[in-house]
Amino acid sequence: MSIPHGLLALLRHGPMYGYQLRAEFEHATGSTWPLNIGQVYSTLTRLERDGLIEPQATDDEGRQRYALTAAGVSTLGEWFAKPVTHADRPRDELAIKLALASTTPGLDVQAIVQTQRVATMRRLQDLTRLKQEPGDVGGLAWSLVLDHLRFSAEAELRWLDHCEGALLKAASAERTRPPVLEDAAAPEPTEERAR
């Protein structure tokens, strides 16, 4: 998630101060990606330095509000227009974990897959319960985030099924492979074979 772009998107609604931006961000995402307030203010400092936002008059309580500049509006528009690529996403720890586990001797990779499957299934059940709760808890933004999380959990379960199948197939191939005789010398050709 690009926090700078997220803050720019929120400022498109109008000037806001740091704590307000944090609250709006967490409301829109259902607190799925909580922001540290220090992270918000350091990001605001960089956005101001880069000319994407500018300070506004403080509110009645003395809080510094920020607004988008023309450059900020342009940068935000470019971000929304550009697709997210796999290079933009962080590494997938689960994929790396299972790849390494499958090559590490002495591990029960099936157990690792099963442990993950149980955790992912619980997560999917929790997300499904949230989806079924009555009322408009977070509006459309939260609903879209929740759907993404649910669909990602479903895809992860399908991928874990695939991993389990690949592991079983590899184990079966390993059991049926003939043993390699490393120290046995090749048989000498007999006279009849040599003719």
Side-chain angles (χ1 to χ4, degrees):
M1 167 63 193
S2 171
I3 294 170
H5 291 108
L7 297 183
L8 291 176
L10 292 170
L11 288 171
R12 187 80 166 108
H13 298 279
M16 294 185 207
Y17 54 90
Y19 277 95
Q20 189 178 13
L21 285 164
R22 176 183 169 202
E24 290 296 320
F25 183 88
E26 290 186 359
H27 176 74
T29 63
S31 297
T32 305
W33 299 286
L35 290 180
N36 177 300
I37 194 61
Q39 190 175 22
V40 171
Y41 281 109
S42 65
T43 302
L44 288 172
T45 299
R46 285 193 309 277
L47 292 171
E48 182 180 4
R49 177 201 67 203
D50 295 342
L52 302 177
I53 63 171
E54 59 189 5
Q56 301 291 293
T58 57
D59 66 10
D60 295 339
E61 296 180 27
R63 295 176 292 209
Q64 180 67 63
R65 297 180 335 142
Y66 295 89
L68 284 177
T69 62
V73 171
S74 176
T75 298
L76 181 61
E78 291 169 10
W79 181 65
F80 278 127
K82 180 183 166 192
V84 176
T85 65
H86 286 284
D88 297 330
R89 299 176 186 177
R91 293 181 185 98
D92 186 325
E93 184 177 350
L94 177 58
I96 293 169
K97 180 180 186 177
L98 289 183
L100 292 172
S102 70
T103 62
T104 303
L107 287 181
D108 183 353
V109 185
Q110 294 284 359
I112 295 170
V113 169
Q114 185 59 25
T115 298
Q116 185 64 45
R117 179 183 284 112
V118 169
T120 303
M121 184 62 77
R122 283 188 185 132
R123 182 169 181 250
L124 180 59
Q125 290 168 347
D126 292 343
L127 293 168
T128 301
R129 271 192 292 279
L130 282 174
K131 185 73 176 174
Q132 295 170 348
E133 285 182 3
D136 187 20
V137 176
L140 178 60
W142 168 231
S143 179
L144 292 174
V145 169
L146 184 58
D147 285 340
H148 172 74
L149 295 172
R150 287 176 50 238
F151 297 154
S152 294
E154 289 171 357
E156 186 171 290
L157 287 172
R158 286 194 308 275
W159 180 72
L160 289 167
D161 289 344
H162 168 77
C163 289
E164 187 172 50
L167 289 165
L168 289 172
K169 185 176 178 181
S172 175
E174 186 67 30
R175 283 191 303 271
T176 59
R177 185 180 311 171
V180 176
L181 303 174
E182 295 177 11
D183 295 335
E188 294 289 326
T190 62
E191 268 185 53
E192 291 178 17
R193 287 189 197 160
R195 290 185 200 177

